[in-house]
């Protein structure tokens, strides 16, 4: 053994000496030619072809679909052969195996396809420098490498890879779990989406609910139609109405019905329009992109100019006392035009089968350009609880479809305004032994109190208006008497 290590050390020292002499004695042009001919020589001797599939494409703006498909395929087929594995617990319906295993970094496996061996390797490159990079993505570069004999080139590139992508798609559908994403600058992070809302439990008028379901079904099956008319395969929904009318619950029901991931886009966390585009590009197809309370997210109207001037004034004054807190003053620079480009511009066509949803409590505050038809294709007003909505809630919370108190509740709902959230809170049993009738009486009492409060508020408003009118009339009379010289 000592003799072997001595010979190996002598060989390595000889190689390093020859390499140093080659670099020093031969000019760069000759070195390039020699390297080129060396590669050609080894290509004749080395009979294998290697294909690399990188995680990101287009200067790392978009995640490679090929890489994702390979990852899914190998996670299903590599767990029995790889010695280094990564484990991830997932919650998938109708499965008793919540643990998904996949190849770890820098691991290799051998697979056989129609009697031909192929080698798969999973690799990660971590740069030694620039640890704290400003770049929004991690500096780590991951990729898969496929190696096979060159005599099987046609079989692998035409048959094997096609088989791989088709099987990966089937595996993805089988193991699919919905995700809820949130953004931090230009990166998405996610948790499992487990909201139980469905259209069956959604408190809404049946006719309106049926109309929304039909619209979603048409969209999901409309890929060829959108291509025919020359439009990006996307659809916009504007949900508006008072707080507590079920806007967020409807989004969850839509996600469960369509089996789409949800991307909760927080505009205040986005630095500028460029970062907004990067976020959009990194959303998958079959996704619902949500901007809740868009009227409160950012100032996207003409008031932005005043806000910008105010920020500039702060910047000027800060030069006298120092430069601290500058970043907090500037905030997000996302503009209305940048948001419109994402919603309905060229960048909106980066990916297909996406739904964009805006929610607001005050639709009149939004810029008309933002919610016009074509951008927000369908406007859905969610209003206060009506009798039809109440019956859905009674079925959900109390499991009753009729009761002698329903007629009293129907009349009160016509006379007062109460949100579905407030109605549901009054219907929810406070204990397991509580009877249905006591819950309905609780709702009736809440409705009567709400009706009395509304009548008092109305009377107070009328009294104030009457006082204002009397005051105006008195002032007008006084002015008239003064003009006529009655009052000196």
């Amino acid at each position: 053994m000592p003799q072997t290590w001595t010979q190996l050390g002598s060989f390595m020292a000889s190689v390093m000496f020859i390499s140093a002499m080659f670099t020093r004695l031969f000019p760069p042009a000759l070195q390039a030619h020699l390297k080129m001919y060396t590669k050609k020589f080894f290509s004749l001797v080395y009979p294998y072809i290697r294909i690399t599939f990188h995680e990101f494409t287009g200067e790392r703006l978009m995640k490679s679909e090929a890489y994702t498909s390979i990852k899914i395929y190998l996670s299903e087929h590599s767990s029995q052969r790889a010695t280094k594995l990564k484990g991830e617990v997932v919650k998938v319906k109708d499965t008793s195996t919540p643990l998904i295993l996949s190849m770890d970094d820098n691991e290799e496996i051998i697979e056989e396809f129609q009697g031909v061996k192929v080698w798969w390797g999973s690799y990660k490159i971590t740069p030694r420098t620039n640890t704290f990079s400003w770049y929004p993505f991690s500096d780590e570069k991951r990729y898969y490498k496929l190696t096979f004999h060159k005599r099987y080139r046609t079989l692998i590139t035409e048959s094997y890879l096609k088989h791989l992508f088709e099987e990966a798609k089937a595996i993805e559908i089988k193991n699919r779990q919905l995700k809820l994403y949130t953004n931090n600058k230009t990166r998405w992070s996610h948790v499992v989406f487990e909201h139980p809302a469905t259209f069956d439990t959604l408190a809404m008028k049946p006719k309106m609910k049926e109309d929304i379901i039909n619209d979603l079904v048409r969209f999901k099956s409309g890929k060829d139609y959108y291509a025919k008319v020359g439009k990006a395969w996307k659809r916009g929904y504007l949900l508006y109405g008072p707080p507590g009318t079920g806007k967020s619950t409807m989004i969850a029901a839509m996600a469960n019905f369509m089996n789409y991931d949800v991307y909760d886009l927080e505009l205040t966390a986005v630095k500028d329009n460029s970062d907004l585009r990067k976020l959009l590009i990194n959303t998958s197809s079959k996704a619902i992109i949500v901007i809740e309370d868009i009227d409160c997210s950012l100032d996207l109207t003409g008031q932005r100019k005043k806000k910008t001037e105010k920020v500039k004034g702060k910047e000027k004054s800060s030069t006298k006392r120092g430069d601290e807190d500058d970043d907090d003053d500037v905030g997000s620079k996302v503009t209305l035009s940048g948001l419109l480009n994402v919603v309905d511009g060229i960048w909106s066509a980066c990916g297909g089968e996406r739904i964009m949803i805006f929610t607001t409590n005050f639709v009149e505050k939004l810029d008309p350009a933002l919610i016009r038809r074509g951008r927000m294709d369908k406007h859905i007003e969610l209003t206060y609880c009506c009798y039809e909505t109440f019956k859905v809630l009674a079925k959900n919370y109390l499991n009753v479809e009729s009761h002698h108190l329903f007629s009293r509740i129907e009349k009160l709902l016509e006379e007062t305004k109460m949100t579905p959230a407030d109605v549901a809170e009054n219907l929810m049993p406070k204990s397991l032994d509580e009877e249905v009738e006591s819950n309905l009486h609780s709702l009736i009492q809440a409705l009567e109190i709400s009706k009395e409060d509304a009548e008092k508020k109305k009377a107070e408003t009328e009294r104030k208006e009457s006082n204002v009118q009397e005051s105006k009339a008195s002032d007008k009379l006084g002015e008239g008497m003064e003009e006529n010289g009655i009052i000196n």
Side-chain angles (χ1 to χ4, degrees):
M1 181 63 69
Q3 185 179 1
T4 303
W5 281 107
T6 302
Q7 292 175 352
L8 181 61
S10 300
F11 174 75
M12 294 298 296
S14 301
V15 170
M16 293 176 65
F17 174 76
I18 293 171
S19 176
M21 294 301 294
F22 174 79
T23 304
R24 178 176 295 182
L25 297 177
F26 291 90
L30 183 58
Q31 291 181 31
H33 281 289
L34 289 174
K35 288 180 180 179
M36 181 181 66
Y37 287 116
T38 302
K39 287 182 180 179
K40 287 184 178 181
F41 172 75
F42 276 110
S43 66
L44 295 174
V45 178
Y46 186 74
Y48 293 96
I49 295 174
R50 290 169 292 184
I51 303 177
T52 302
F53 300 89
H54 291 276
E55 184 177 9
F56 290 94
T57 61
E59 297 185 0
R60 307 199 73 191
L61 286 177
M62 183 179 294
K63 197 159 189 175
S64 168
E65 293 185 7
Y67 179 92
T68 303
S69 297
I70 293 168
K71 182 178 180 180
I72 294 170
Y73 177 85
L74 293 180
S75 69
E76 185 82 2
H77 294 82
S78 65
S79 59
Q80 301 300 323
R81 295 187 292 276
T83 57
K84 291 172 59 182
L85 295 166
K86 291 186 293 186
E88 181 182 3
V89 176
V90 299
K91 297 179 181 179
V92 184
K93 296 179 181 179
D94 303 325
T95 181
S96 58
T97 310
L99 184 65
I100 300 296
L101 300 175
S102 59
M103 287 174 60
D104 201 355
D105 298 323
N106 302 314
E107 175 68 352
E108 295 182 352
I109 64 165
I110 301 174
E111 187 172 72
E112 191 170 308
F113 178 74
Q114 296 184 9
V116 177
K117 286 186 177 181
V118 297
W119 290 262
W120 278 106
S122 172
Y123 302 101
K124 178 179 71 172
I125 300 175
T126 304
R128 296 182 181 178
T129 59
N130 198 23
T131 304
F132 302 99
S133 174
W134 61 269
Y135 197 71
F137 297 98
S138 171
D139 286 336
E140 294 179 344
K141 296 181 180 180
R142 288 182 168 84
Y143 62 93
Y144 288 109
K145 184 183 290 184
L146 171 62
T147 305
F148 55 91
H149 200 285
K150 61 184 179 182
R151 75 164 65 102
Y152 303 115
R153 181 178 188 135
T154 302
L155 174 68
I156 299 302
T157 56
E158 294 183 4
S159 300
Y160 174 66
L161 290 178
K162 181 181 178 182
H163 159 77
L164 183 151
F165 294 137
E166 289 176 351
E167 188 162 342
K169 187 175 182 180
I171 295 169
E172 183 181 17
I173 293 173
K174 182 184 71 173
N175 296 333
R176 178 169 173 78
Q177 59 177 26
L178 298 186
K179 298 181 179 67
L180 174 62
Y181 290 84
T182 185
N183 61 296
N184 179 16
K185 295 183 179 179
T186 58
R187 301 185 67 180
W188 293 105
S189 58
H190 72 268
V191 296
V192 177
F193 182 76
E194 298 180 294
H195 202 293
T198 65
F199 277 108
D200 291 334
T201 61
L202 187 64
M204 181 184 289
K205 294 179 181 179
K207 187 175 181 180
M208 180 184 293
K209 188 185 301 185
E210 183 181 0
D211 179 59
I212 295 171
I213 292 174
N214 291 337
D215 190 76
L216 291 171
V217 171
R218 284 194 300 270
F219 170 77
K220 193 169 188 177
S221 59
K223 181 178 181 180
D224 294 336
Y225 174 79
Y226 278 86
K228 178 183 175 182
V229 299
K231 290 186 64 177
W233 190 13
K234 65 177 185 62
R235 190 153 180 82
Y237 288 82
L238 174 67
L239 309 183
Y240 64 98
T245 51
K247 294 183 285 295
S248 298
T249 305
M250 174 176 280
I251 294 170
M254 292 170 72
N256 287 322
F257 178 77
M258 300 290 281
N259 200 30
Y260 283 5
D261 294 328
V262 178
Y263 289 81
D264 184 13
L265 178 58
E266 178 56 57
L267 285 179
T268 56
V270 183
K271 182 180 178 182
D272 51 31
N273 295 335
S274 177
D275 285 353
L276 183 62
R277 289 194 294 269
K278 290 175 185 176
L279 280 170
L280 174 72
I281 291 172
N282 280 284
T283 57
S284 64
S285 59
K286 298 182 183 296
I288 296 177
I289 303 170
V290 181
I291 304 179
E292 292 200 88
D293 297 320
I294 189 170
D295 54 301
C296 304
S297 296
L298 285 177
D299 184 5
L300 299 173
T301 61
Q303 295 180 0
R304 169 170 290 279
K305 183 176 180 182
K306 298 178 182 178
K307 186 175 180 180
T308 304
E309 291 174 354
K310 186 177 180 182
V311 169
K312 289 181 178 178
K314 287 184 179 181
E315 290 176 349
K316 289 180 180 179
S317 61
S318 67
T319 57
K320 298 180 181 179
R321 65 177 189 274
D323 294 329
E324 64 272 14
D325 301 332
D326 283 348
D327 293 337
D328 295 336
D329 289 341
V330 174
S332 176
K333 296 181 181 177
V334 175
T335 63
L336 177 60
S337 62
L339 183 60
L340 294 181
N341 192 29
V342 166
V343 174
D344 193 36
I346 296 175
W347 287 93
S348 66
C350 295
E353 202 170 353
R354 288 195 183 114
I355 292 175
M356 178 77 74
I357 298 179
F358 292 165
T359 73
T360 180
N361 298 331
F362 307 100
V363 67
E364 64 277 359
K365 290 185 178 181
L366 299 181
D367 193 301
L370 187 63
I371 60 175
R372 69 164 176 80
R373 304 289 178 173
R375 290 195 174 111
M376 292 296 105
D377 304 284
K378 193 170 184 64
H379 294 192
I380 302 173
E381 183 181 8
L382 301 176
T383 59
Y384 294 100
C385 188
C386 64
Y387 181 63
E388 291 177 319
T389 303
F390 158 74
K391 288 197 294 184
V392 176
L393 293 171
K395 174 67 176 176
N396 293 342
Y397 286 86
L398 304 176
N399 198 28
V400 293
E401 297 183 4
S402 62
H403 196 276
H404 69 274
L405 293 175
F406 277 18
S407 57
R408 173 62 178 159
I409 293 172
E410 180 180 8
K411 184 178 180 181
L412 286 170
L413 286 173
E414 293 174 354
E415 296 172 346
T416 187
K417 294 180 179 180
M418 181 175 285
T419 65
D422 290 332
V423 172
E425 182 62 28
N426 285 283
L427 290 177
M428 183 176 290
K430 305 301 184 292
S431 65
L432 296 176
D433 299 330
E434 194 169 3
E435 296 181 358
V436 171
E437 191 159 338
S438 64
N439 291 102
L440 295 176
H441 277 299
S442 175
L443 175 60
I444 290 173
Q445 184 178 3
L447 287 169
E448 288 175 343
I449 293 173
S450 177
K451 179 182 176 181
E452 292 175 2
D453 291 343
E455 289 175 349
K456 289 179 181 178
K457 187 176 180 180
K458 182 179 179 181
E460 180 67 19
T461 302
E462 291 177 350
R463 184 183 64 80
K464 288 181 178 180
E465 290 180 352
S466 177
N467 290 340
V468 170
Q469 294 296 331
E470 289 178 1
S471 177
K472 288 182 178 179
S474 176
D475 292 343
K476 189 175 181 180
L477 178 61
E479 291 175 359
M481 294 175 67
E482 185 176 356
E483 290 176 358
N484 295 325
I486 300 176
I487 299 177
N488 292 325

